[in-house]
Amino acid sequence: MYLTRLRVNTARVGARQLLSSPQRLHAAVMSSFAEIPVTGDDGPRVLWRVDATSRAETYLYIVGPAKPDLTHLVEQAGWPDTGRWETYDYAPLLDRLSTGDRWSFRLTANPVHTARRRDDEPTKITPHVGLRHQSRWLLQRQEGAGFKVMEKPQQQRLIPEGDEYELVIHNRRQLNFGKGGQQQRVSLVTVTFDGLLEVTDPDAFRRTLTRGLGRAKAYGCGLMTLAAV
């Protein structure tokens, strides 16, 4: 497995076109591989995410079972003369994960649930829009994903309820873009989770890091990245 990072030049028209359409960016990411990685249902897959930093820098992150070649993305959305991308071997980090490890994490996800207005209607996939429901969406999946979000010490909780966890939810986005020659429209609500976690099941957590969490993985959701606490 490999983790790749590319800084995006948002001043370029090509970059803005890619960032405005997860469908286009997905196609560009998959074009980074001479041979599209073939994975089974339980194997690793290609995941990606776009991050904006506090210094107004935008980065594209890619995790996959093969090394990508981002030359075309540098030419379209980077700095062709000086731009480079960084690729790291992800295996050493994955291999050393163990129960009790604590990490800072970031995850952009598509938190949804199924709902119906009347009993005689079929269920419909509906986005969670409230912060509490979005937080609950992640907490409900943490056990199966091999981690738990850390709880805050009692003295650090600003309000009696709803501030129990080391978790911040931000960058809520409503995405609408074309798919399949623009004939089909896709609508997504995405949010970014930043927080602290503890590994509870290393094998399950490795699957989370290499398979993604939640829906809309082709559109920049599901990739969790870690940093030292």
Side-chain angles (χ1 to χ4, degrees):
M1 293 296 294
Y2 297 91
L3 170 66
T4 299
R5 185 179 78 159
L6 168 71
R7 186 179 172 193
V8 179
N9 183 355
T10 55
R12 302 194 66 183
V13 173
R16 295 197 295 271
Q17 290 175 339
L18 287 173
L19 294 174
S20 68
S21 172
Q23 176 69 19
R24 290 181 182 175
L25 191 46
H26 169 70
V29 167
M30 299 309 293
S31 296
S32 302
F33 301 95
E35 296 182 2
I36 302 298
V38 178
T39 60
D41 291 339
D42 296 324
R45 61 175 295 161
V46 176
L47 303 167
W48 61 271
R49 187 183 76 221
V50 174
D51 279 2
T53 72
S54 58
R55 296 192 300 172
E57 296 172 340
T58 299
Y59 288 92
L60 169 66
Y61 289 87
I62 302 172
V63 165
K67 284 185 177 182
D69 183 334
L70 305 187
T71 303
H72 63 300
L73 280 169
V74 173
E75 293 174 347
Q76 182 178 355
W79 286 266
D81 291 335
T82 61
R84 299 291 185 271
W85 64 89
E86 303 162 297
T87 296
Y88 307 93
D89 187 353
Y90 209 21
L93 183 146
L94 296 173
D95 291 342
R96 72 170 185 263
L97 291 173
S98 60
T99 302
D101 287 351
R102 294 186 176 184
W103 296 91
S104 173
F105 74 90
R106 172 166 288 182
L107 166 72
T108 293
N110 171 227
V112 297
H113 66 292
T114 55
R116 69 179 85 195
R117 291 178 298 177
R118 298 195 308 266
D119 290 342
D120 58 345
E121 287 186 339
T123 57
K124 181 180 179 181
I125 296 174
T126 306
H128 286 301
V129 294
L131 293 179
R132 183 165 296 186
H133 290 99
Q134 291 167 348
S135 174
R136 187 182 304 159
W137 175 91
L138 180 62
L139 296 174
Q140 288 173 340
R141 285 156 178 77
Q142 61 180 352
E143 181 178 357
F147 68 92
K148 65 177 181 180
V149 179
M150 301 298 299
E151 294 189 19
K152 289 182 178 180
Q154 190 70 39
Q155 64 271 22
Q156 293 182 12
R157 300 179 186 182
L158 300 179
I159 55 177
E161 295 183 10
D163 192 36
E164 300 94 335
Y165 295 95
E166 297 281 5
L167 186 65
V168 175
I169 303 173
H170 61 99
N171 197 29
R172 181 187 183 278
R173 300 180 67 199
Q174 173 76 52
L175 305 176
N176 293 280
F177 54 93
K179 177 183 177 182
Q182 307 298 314
Q183 299 300 314
Q184 181 181 351
R185 301 299 298 178
V186 177
S187 179
L188 294 176
V189 171
T190 68
V191 297
T192 298
F193 299 92
D194 285 346
L196 299 176
L197 62 75
E198 180 177 306
V199 179
T200 57
D201 183 336
D203 290 335
F205 192 49
R206 290 185 190 97
R207 288 194 296 272
T208 298
L209 295 177
T210 58
R211 291 287 298 169
L213 186 63
R215 299 171 60 90
K217 298 181 183 73
Y219 301 131
C221 296
L223 171 58
M224 177 182 284
T225 52
L226 307 177
V229 174

